[in-house]
């Protein structure tokens, strides 16, 4: 997908700006952008537009944008919604390249607003105007001093110009994140709010920042996504550029959720799909606004870590244990120093704790040189990917913390590839010292642990060379199914078998004699199941008979199944006689068509406990074999697959291949299939493969 970031140059890097609805009052929406542009040194021309004034804030004003004597790159619309359509028409006549519409009162207020917003969208699209908003706070390009916003963010002065680009759908949420970042010393390249997204959406901004040479880290807040393919393309671009994306998705309930017709549907909600999409594109998902800002800040200060091995360095045993516990909970590793390394540390301080966490005790109060000496020995070991260094309350004392950081700095320079995170109390003044030295500092050690997790997450993901892009899968032709009516198990399995997906040996029959003949052919014991498109969950209806041992039992089961289906007044289309599959582990594998991101693949523990345990892993289809294996490793039950307490290892490779194959199948049939539910899937010991015991396919409604 072509995201056309070049067309956004007129929006984010304009050479000339017109403010429609300009005001001399800098407290008004039409006055603030002009004041900010002048105050912070925008180098281009500024054209206030107001038919009632000839001069505004020391600048010549014009009655209309049509009266501006030279081309305008960007128009800022600070006018009521009722005037917006006419204003955007005038921008089109003057061939303005881009516009920011601050106005509210569009799609968020009802039918008339929706119609007005659509009119604006069409005018902008037909005249190649890139439009940000409406109902947004605009944007700020700090690198070029472009203040395309009326927000009060800049009243405290220009923040640090840095390399973090921040984009948010919610203007006030974005403003909060910007303010929080400013307070902790984060430097920004861009701040963007997208509002109603009539044209420019969050993915467009992500793509623009991914290609921006002044941006290294991208922080994102979204409430929802209008275009899943556009989002995937933008995140793929950021991954390829190796730019870490920190992402906060607010709202975790299912969008347009319906009563689930399959186990897969009940387990794969819209937020779970979003989560899996972010994983596949190497995006770190933050849970809170604070975490979003802290992680972006930390990455911008120290880069990413090469792995998850952390050394906790402390002068407090209690804090060291607390931090180590949190790191373990987060899945991080705390390697132990070698015997030789521990001896070197003990030679410096005989009563130090030299296992990880490493406690240099309060002795650093009288021997501060112990800090760099200990750190240097630990770094020499070559077993740590990053450090968390607890400095207690010394950060609140300028002289003491300056001295200690100066002692540590040579070690940081010597081992530039090892990020070092600091935890300490601090004042506004001492915080600046940490920031100037690119030493991320946290008041709470547990926040440092979360940041360390994020650094390792990016490091692990960026080891992959590229996002999986398989060969094109030929779409299926219309199979002629009845929309929304589930395929019976036998029909579903026949279709899957055509694509080499392993199913049980079986046959649907309509007489007792045929049932007996086929059972004898495949060998006893067998399974008999009633077939009806009206009965999705056959076990609940009592029409599944397991472990049928002989011909007489086959006849009896056949008759009872027929009677039960007829008593339920369901459509009867035969009885399936199947081989009885014994042994193996039971899992569930399924697919669900997500309205935003397309087909998804899910795997989890199967059988009757599927919806109780919720031990699942999800990815967007199609998936690479290595991604399929990663899905399996995410399951809490993965140790069982690997073999525990003397049990044999399961055929993990065959199960991973099934995930790949069913993903390809779901992509091929995405125009026709809503859900696929294969439960249980039997997974046998290594080399013995997998077998689908039951399958349900639900066509799109």
């Amino acid at each position: 997908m072509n995201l056309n970031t070049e067309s956004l140059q007129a929006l984010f890097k304009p050479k000339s700006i017109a403010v429609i609805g300009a005001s001399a009052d800098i407290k008004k929406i039409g006055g603030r952008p002009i004041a900010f542009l002048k105050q912070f040194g925008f180098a281009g021309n500024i054209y206030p537009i107001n038919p009632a004034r000839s001069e505004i804030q020391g600048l010549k004003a014009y009655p209309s944008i049509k009266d501006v004597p030279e081309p305008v790159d960007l128009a800022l619309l600070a006018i009521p919604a009722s005037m917006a359509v006419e204003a955007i028409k005038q921008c089109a006549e003057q061939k303005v390249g881009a516009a920011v519409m601050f106005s509210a009162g569009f799609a968020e207020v009802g039918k008339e607003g929706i119609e007005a917003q659509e009119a604006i969208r069409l005018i902008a699209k037909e005249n190649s105007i890139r439009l940000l908003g409406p109902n947004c706070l605009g944007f700020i390009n700090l690198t070029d001093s472009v203040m395309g916003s009326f927000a009060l963010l800049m009243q405290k002065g220009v923040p640090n110009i840095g390399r973090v680009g921040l984009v948010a759908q919610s203007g006030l949420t974005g403003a909060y994140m910007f303010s929080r970042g400013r307070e902790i010393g984060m430097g920004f390249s861009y701040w963007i709010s997208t509002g109603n997204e009539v044209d420019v959406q969050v993915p467009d901004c992500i793509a623009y920042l991914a290609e921006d040479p002044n941006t290294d880290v991208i922080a994102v807040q979204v409430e929802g996504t209008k275009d899943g393919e556009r989002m995937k393309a933008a995140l793929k671009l950021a991954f390829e550029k190796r730019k870490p994306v920190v992402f906060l998705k607010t709202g975790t309930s299912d969008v347009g959720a319906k009563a689930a017709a399959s186990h897969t549907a009940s387990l794969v909600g819209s937020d779970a799909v979003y989560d899996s999409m972010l994983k596949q594109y190497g995006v770190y998902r933050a849970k809170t606004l604070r975490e979003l800002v802290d992680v972006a800040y930390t990455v911008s200060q120290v880069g990413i870590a090469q792995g998850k091995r952390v050394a906790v360095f402390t002068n407090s045993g209690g804090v060291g244990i607390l931090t180590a516990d949190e790191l373990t909970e987060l899945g991080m590793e705390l390697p132990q120093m070698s015997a030789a390394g521990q001896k070197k540390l003990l030679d410096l301080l005989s009563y130090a704790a030299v296992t990880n966490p490493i406690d240099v005790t309060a002795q650093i109060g009288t021997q501060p040189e112990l800090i760099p000496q200990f750190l240097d020995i630990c770094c020499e070991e070559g077993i740590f990917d990053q450090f968390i260094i607890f400095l207690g309350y010394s950060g609140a004392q300028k002289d003491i913390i300056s001295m200690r950081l100066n002692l540590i700095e040579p070690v940081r320079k010597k081992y530039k590839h090892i990020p070092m995170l600091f935890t300490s109390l601090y004042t506004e003044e001492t915080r600046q010292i940490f920031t100037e030295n690119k030493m991320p500092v946290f008041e709470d050690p547990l926040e440092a642990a979360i940041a360390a997790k994020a650094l390792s997450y990016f490091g692990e993901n960026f080891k992959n060379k590229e996002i999986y892009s398989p060969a094109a899968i030929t779409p299926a032709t219309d199979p002629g199914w009845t929309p929304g009516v589930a395929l019976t198990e036998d029909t579903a399995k026949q279709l899957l078998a055509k694509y080499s997906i392993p199913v049980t040996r079986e046959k649907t029959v309509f007489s007792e004699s045929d049932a007996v003949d086929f059972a004898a052919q495949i060998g006893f014991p067998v399974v008999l199941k009633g077939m009806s498109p009206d009965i999705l969950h056959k076990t609940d209806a009592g029409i599944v008979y397991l472990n049928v041992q002989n011909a007489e039992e086959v006849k009896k089961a056949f008759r009872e199944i027929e009677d039960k289906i007829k008593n339920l007044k369901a459509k009867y289309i035969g009885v399936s006689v199947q081989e009885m599959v014994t042994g193996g582990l039971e899992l569930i594998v399924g697919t669900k068509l997500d309205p935003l991101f397309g087909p998804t693949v899910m795997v989890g523990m199967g059988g009757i406990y599927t919806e109780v345990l919720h031990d699942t892993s999800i990815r967007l289809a199609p998936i690479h074999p290595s991604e399929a294996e990663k899905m399996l490793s995410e399951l809490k039950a993965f140790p069982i697959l690997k073999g525990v307490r003397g049990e044999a290892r399961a055929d993990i490779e065959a199960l991973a291949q099934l995930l790949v194959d069913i993903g390809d199948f779901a992509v091929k049939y995405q125009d026709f299939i809503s859900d696929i539910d294969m439960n249980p899937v039997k997974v046998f010991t290594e080399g013995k493969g997998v077998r689908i015991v039951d399958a349900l396919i639900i066509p799109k409604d």
Side-chain angles (χ1 to χ4, degrees), residues 400-683:
I400 293 176
I401 197 62
S402 296
M403 178 265 293
R404 291 184 179 177
L405 295 184
N406 286 336
L407 288 171
I408 292 171
E409 184 58 17
V411 183
R412 289 180 70 241
K413 286 184 177 180
K414 183 178 177 181
Y415 300 98
K416 291 180 180 179
H417 65 289
I418 304 178
M420 294 186 182
L421 314 185
F422 297 83
T423 63
S424 175
L425 295 179
Y426 52 80
T427 65
E428 188 171 340
E429 184 180 25
T430 59
R431 173 72 177 200
Q432 188 63 28
I433 296 172
F434 280 102
T435 300
E436 288 172 355
N437 287 282
K438 292 189 174 295
M439 295 177 170
V441 60
F442 305 84
E443 287 186 314
D444 189 334
L446 303 189
E447 292 177 347
I450 292 171
K453 164 76 172 178
L455 298 188
S456 70
Y457 177 87
F458 287 122
E460 293 290 328
N461 277 281
F462 284 173
K463 287 177 183 177
N464 299 324
K465 293 184 178 179
E466 60 183 1
I467 299 292
Y468 178 52
S469 298
I473 297 173
T474 305
T477 56
D478 188 351
W481 299 325
T482 303
V485 177
L487 305 187
T488 54
E489 178 186 343
D490 54 345
T491 304
K493 285 182 175 177
Q494 288 168 18
L495 179 61
L496 295 171
K498 286 174 61 176
Y499 295 92
S500 301
I501 295 173
V503 299
T504 52
R505 293 178 295 159
E506 60 189 71
K507 182 179 180 181
T508 300
V509 297
F510 294 88
S511 69
E512 293 179 23
S513 59
D514 286 345
V516 170
D517 289 345
F518 187 71
Q521 180 182 328
I522 60 175
F524 291 101
V526 295
V527 178
L528 270 68
K529 298 178 182 179
M531 294 291 111
S532 170
D534 302 326
I535 303 174
L536 299 185
H537 301 300
K538 296 181 288 296
T539 301
D540 295 343
I543 56 173
V544 175
Y545 285 67
L546 304 175
N547 204 28
V548 180
Q549 296 287 340
N550 52 53
E552 288 306 313
E553 289 187 12
V554 168
K555 294 176 184 178
K556 182 175 181 292
F558 187 97
R559 289 193 297 269
E560 290 180 3
I561 288 171
E562 274 192 326
D563 291 342
K564 286 180 179 179
I565 293 176
K566 290 174 183 177
N567 289 337
L568 289 169
K569 294 182 170 53
K571 186 177 181 179
Y572 169 68
I573 54 173
V575 174
S576 176
V577 182
Q578 305 175 6
E579 63 176 314
M580 178 77 186
V581 180
T582 58
L585 297 171
E586 288 192 357
L587 277 84
I588 179 174
V589 174
T591 76
K592 181 174 176 59
L593 188 67
D594 184 78
L596 275 176
F597 299 114
T600 63
V601 178
M602 181 273 295
V603 62
M605 291 304 293
I608 61 174
Y609 301 113
T610 295
E611 290 169 340
V612 177
L613 298 176
H614 278 264
D615 182 16
T616 60
S617 181
I618 304 165
R619 291 294 189 277
L620 305 186
I623 55 177
H624 189 271
S626 63
E627 193 71 25
E629 292 181 5
K630 190 174 180 182
M631 288 175 67
L632 297 176
S633 71
E634 291 172 356
L635 297 175
K636 297 183 183 71
F638 185 61
I640 299 174
L641 291 171
K642 290 196 299 181
V644 293
R645 301 176 73 92
E647 293 291 330
R649 182 180 185 274
D651 201 333
I652 294 172
E653 291 73 22
L655 181 56
Q657 187 60 48
L658 173 61
L659 300 181
V660 173
D661 292 342
I662 199 64
D664 290 350
F665 179 88
V667 171
K668 187 176 186 69
Y669 280 89
Q670 64 182 308
D671 292 335
F672 309 107
I673 291 178
S674 169
D675 298 5
I676 302 173
D677 185 20
M678 300 183 296
N679 182 28
V681 172
K682 289 278 192 172
V683 185

Side-chain angles (χ1 to χ4, degrees), residues 29 77-81 84 99-110 113 117 120 131-139 150 168-173 191-200 223 226:
I29 290 176
L77 279 66
I79 54 177
V100 178
M101 190 169 287
F102 303 139
S103 321
F106 289 95
E108 71 276 10
V109 299
Q117 181 167 301
I120 291 167
L131 180 59
L132 186 65
N135 189 28
C136 74
L137 293 184
F139 76 96
F150 67 90
Q169 276 182 332
S170 168
L172 290 177
T173 302
W191 173 83
I192 308 167
S193 74
T194 59
N196 287 13
E197 298 190 342
V198 72
D199 170 35
V200 177
E223 297 161 9
K226 295 181 178 181

Side-chain angles (χ1 to χ4, degrees), residues 20-328:
I20 301 175
S23 173
D25 187 347
I26 62 173
K27 294 180 181 178
K28 291 186 176 181
I29 290 176
R32 287 180 195 158
I34 297 172
F36 292 153
L37 287 164
K38 292 179 63 180
Q39 180 182 352
F40 300 117
F42 174 61
N45 293 324
I46 307 169
Y47 300 106
I49 308 298
N50 188 323
R53 303 291 296 267
S54 61
E55 177 272 331
I56 291 177
Q57 297 186 42
L59 300 171
K60 177 177 172 56
Y62 298 86
S64 163
I65 196 169
K66 293 190 291 186
D67 299 308
V68 175
E70 67 177 29
V72 173
D73 288 335
L74 173 64
L76 304 178
L77 279 66
I79 54 177
S82 59
M83 302 170 64
V85 175
E86 180 59 31
I88 203 72
K89 284 181 180 177
Q90 292 183 7
C91 289
E93 291 173 13
Q94 293 305 107
K95 301 189 182 306
V96 172
V100 178
M101 190 169 287
F102 303 139
S103 321
F106 289 95
E108 71 276 10
V109 299
K111 181 180 178 183
E112 290 185 6
I114 292 172
E115 292 174 351
Q117 181 167 301
E118 179 63 10
I120 291 167
R121 186 190 71 81
L122 289 173
I123 294 168
K125 182 178 180 180
E126 291 167 0
N127 293 277
S128 300
I129 298 173
R130 296 313 308 264
L131 180 59
L132 186 65
N135 189 28
C136 74
L137 293 184
F139 76 96
I140 299 169
N141 169 357
L142 286 127
T143 306
D144 300 305
S145 300
V146 183
M147 306 297 159
S149 175
F150 67 90
L152 297 175
L153 298 172
M154 308 306 291
Q155 287 194 333
K156 287 186 68 175
V158 179
N160 294 332
I161 297 174
R163 305 188 67 82
V164 177
L166 195 158
V167 54
Q169 276 182 332
S170 168
L172 290 177
T173 302
Y176 172 88
M177 294 189 295
F178 183 92
S179 300
R180 161 77 180 152
R182 182 211 295 269
E183 293 306 313
I184 65 174
M186 184 157 70
F188 295 93
S189 57
Y190 281 85
W191 173 83
I192 308 167
S193 74
T194 59
N196 287 13
E197 298 190 342
V198 72
D199 170 35
V200 177
Q201 300 177 19
V202 165
D204 301 303
C205 301
I206 294 172
Y208 180 84
L209 295 172
E211 294 188 331
D212 176 44
N214 297 308
T215 300
D216 291 336
V217 183
I218 304 170
V220 182
Q221 176 271 330
V222 301
E223 297 161 9
T225 302
K226 295 181 178 181
D227 188 334
E229 291 303 314
R230 191 184 296 196
M231 180 63 81
K232 289 192 291 186
L235 295 177
K236 181 174 185 288
L237 179 62
F239 182 89
E240 290 170 345
K241 298 288 185 179
R242 293 302 189 264
K243 293 195 177 180
V245 178
V246 189
F247 203 101
L248 177 66
K249 164 70 165 62
T250 53
T252 58
S253 59
D254 291 352
V255 178
K258 298 180 180 180
S262 71
H263 291 296
T264 305
S266 67
L267 293 169
V268 183
S270 62
D271 189 65
V273 175
Y274 227 112
D275 200 57
S276 67
M277 182 273 295
L278 296 176
K279 285 179 184 176
Q280 275 173 272
Y281 289 91
V283 176
Y284 180 84
R285 185 173 185 179
K287 295 179 181 178
T288 65
L289 289 168
R290 189 180 185 94
E291 182 182 1
L292 176 73
V293 175
D294 285 355
V295 169
Y297 157 72
T298 305
V299 178
S300 71
Q301 294 275 290
V302 297
I304 63 177
Q306 298 306 305
K308 56 176 64 176
R309 303 171 301 174
V310 184
V312 177
F313 186 88
T314 180
N315 60 355
S316 164
V319 171
I321 294 169
L322 182 71
T323 308
D325 287 346
E326 180 68 8
L327 288 165
T328 301

